[in-house]
Amino acid sequence: MKKRIAIAALVLAAVGAYAQGMFTWIDKVSDDKDKILPGVNPAAVTGTIVTAGSSTVFPLSEAVAEQFKKDGFKGQVTIDSIGSGAGFDRFTTTGETDISNASAKIKASQIEAAAKLSPPRVPIEFRVGTDAIAVCISTKNKFATDVTMAELAKIFSTAVNWSDVRPEWPKRPIKKFSPGTDSGTFEYFVEHVFKKDKKPLLEGKNLQLSEDDNILVRGIGGDQYAIGYFGFAYYLENQKTLKVLSLDGVAANQANVDAGKYPLSRPLFLYSDAGIINAKPQVAAFLTYYLTYVNDLIKKVGYFPAPAADLKASKQALADAMKGRF
């Protein structure tokens, strides 16, 4: 009998120690303005956090991770920039990642794939910001300042020379740069410019695809007859070599994005799973930190805050996933 009591005491002690370890990152004073999430003490948690996905979300996640480390996190945060589609594959098909970064919403087929993992995953969506896709040309280009959406579709499909778009523009080949087909940026662009039909874009002449936005930046910036598109942050980082075009006369800026006037603005997301969040305190801490401080960092990176109601809903989704844990 004494032996059983001793074993039970050891088990309870182990469970208690595990639970205490899981939630030592929680601060009694909340830093969350909505008072939905607990405060975060990055120095009180360690471990590995594995994320992958959107090249657009990458600089934002990188900025949050850097501040998370500066505030004391001693573990490792891995952020792979491989495109939203490839990121979802790692999260829902192979189960390699804790968090999926995405510039496109998860698909029903990807949710079904996640349910087949062992243990099953149920993706939880967290809206973290808004991006305006920047359609860019080189600063060497002296003739273009804006295009209509119809002209944009022509540029990235049937047009061969700039003069095919407007007669007064040079009779010189258009060099086109686009994110790769695994990119959420590519998916969004095709959906809104070509009504989800990627064939016209992929069959266009002088097209270069790359999952690396920095390759696109260099290609566009180095040629006066080049054009391409990517997340707004990459334009802001490279204004010495790039100019951003207005679309239908609407400039890509905070006011036009907030007003819903800019034609190519889109939401940015993180995805995770309640099982992961509760099994890995470092993931719970990082997501809490991310949603708490994202608006302090997002404009510095070059994106725009998510609508307040959407960010609040994301915080509530995380709080629900951690229910009873703090």
Side-chain angles (χ1 to χ4, degrees):
M1 184 68 175
K2 289 181 179 179
K3 189 175 182 181
R4 287 181 184 173
I5 292 171
I7 292 171
L10 286 170
V11 170
L12 286 172
V15 170
Y18 173 76
Q20 185 178 12
M22 255 190 102
F23 301 104
T24 51
W25 58 267
I26 292 172
D27 193 336
K28 290 181 181 178
V29 180
S30 175
D31 294 307
D32 174 28
K33 294 174 184 176
D34 295 317
K35 306 302 179 187
I36 296 171
L37 295 172
V40 185
N41 180 8
V45 63
T46 188
T48 300
I49 302 162
V50 182
T51 79
S54 169
S55 62
T56 304
V57 179
F58 172 78
L60 179 59
S61 288
E62 187 178 47
V64 175
E66 284 176 2
Q67 183 167 297
F68 193 55
K69 290 176 182 177
K70 283 180 182 177
D71 283 347
F73 179 63
K74 297 295 190 291
Q76 181 179 359
V77 184
T78 301
I79 310 170
D80 287 340
S81 176
I82 56 175
S84 297
F88 280 138
D89 285 343
R90 287 194 190 177
F91 182 74
T92 67
T93 303
T94 62
E96 298 173 52
T97 57
D98 303 312
I99 300 168
S100 196
N101 302 325
S103 57
K105 290 180 77 72
I106 195 167
K107 297 175 182 176
S109 59
Q110 292 162 336
I111 294 173
E112 290 169 6
K116 295 175 183 176
L117 290 172
S118 181
R121 291 183 173 185
V122 180
I124 303 172
E125 181 180 284
F126 305 106
R127 172 83 180 268
V128 293
T130 304
D131 177 33
I133 291 179
V135 178
C136 289
I137 55 175
S138 171
T139 51
K140 299 173 185 176
N141 183 315
K142 303 303 180 185
F143 57 88
T145 56
D146 72 281
V147 293
T148 67
M149 291 299 288
E151 288 172 335
L152 186 62
K154 192 172 184 180
I155 286 169
F156 278 95
S157 57
T158 58
V160 176
N161 296 319
W162 281 99
S163 56
D164 296 332
V165 184
R166 294 188 191 178
E168 65 269 26
W169 285 352
K171 192 174 183 179
R172 297 297 297 267
I174 305 170
K175 296 183 181 178
K176 309 164 190 178
F177 291 84
S178 168
T181 55
D182 260 345
S183 166
T185 306
F186 173 89
E187 187 176 322
Y188 187 90
F189 188 84
V190 166
E191 179 181 351
H192 287 78
V193 178
F194 294 103
K195 302 187 187 306
K196 299 186 178 182
D197 183 6
K198 61 186 176 183
K199 189 176 178 181
L201 189 154
L202 293 177
E203 291 183 348
K205 295 198 173 177
N206 294 325
L207 174 68
Q208 180 173 336
L209 299 170
S210 177
E211 300 295 348
D212 187 340
D213 288 323
N214 291 306
I215 289 175
L216 305 180
V217 166
R218 289 194 294 272
I220 299 163
D223 194 307
Q224 63 180 312
Y225 301 113
I227 187 170
Y229 63 95
F230 30 65
F232 199 72
Y234 289 92
Y235 156 67
L236 287 182
E237 284 182 358
N238 296 280
Q239 293 181 69
K240 289 183 179 179
T241 60
L242 299 178
K243 292 193 295 186
V244 64
L245 297 177
S246 296
L247 302 179
D248 285 338
V250 180
N253 58 40
Q254 175 85 59
N256 289 332
V257 168
D258 287 348
K261 293 179 180 178
Y262 186 72
L264 293 180
S265 59
R266 40 78 184 267
L268 303 176
F269 303 104
L270 303 182
Y271 287 86
S272 193
D273 162 79
I276 296 169
I277 290 166
N278 285 290
K280 298 183 176 182
Q282 66 271 30
V283 175
F286 182 66
L287 287 170
T288 300
Y289 190 91
Y290 205 123
L291 296 180
T292 299
Y293 295 106
V294 64
N295 279 357
D296 295 340
L297 297 169
I298 195 163
K299 289 183 181 179
K300 296 175 185 176
V301 174
Y303 298 132
F304 310 100
D310 288 355
L311 182 58
K312 188 174 182 179
S314 294
K315 292 177 180 179
Q316 189 60 58
L318 179 57
D320 290 345
M322 298 188 297
K323 203 162 188 180
R325 301 294 186 179
F326 62 85

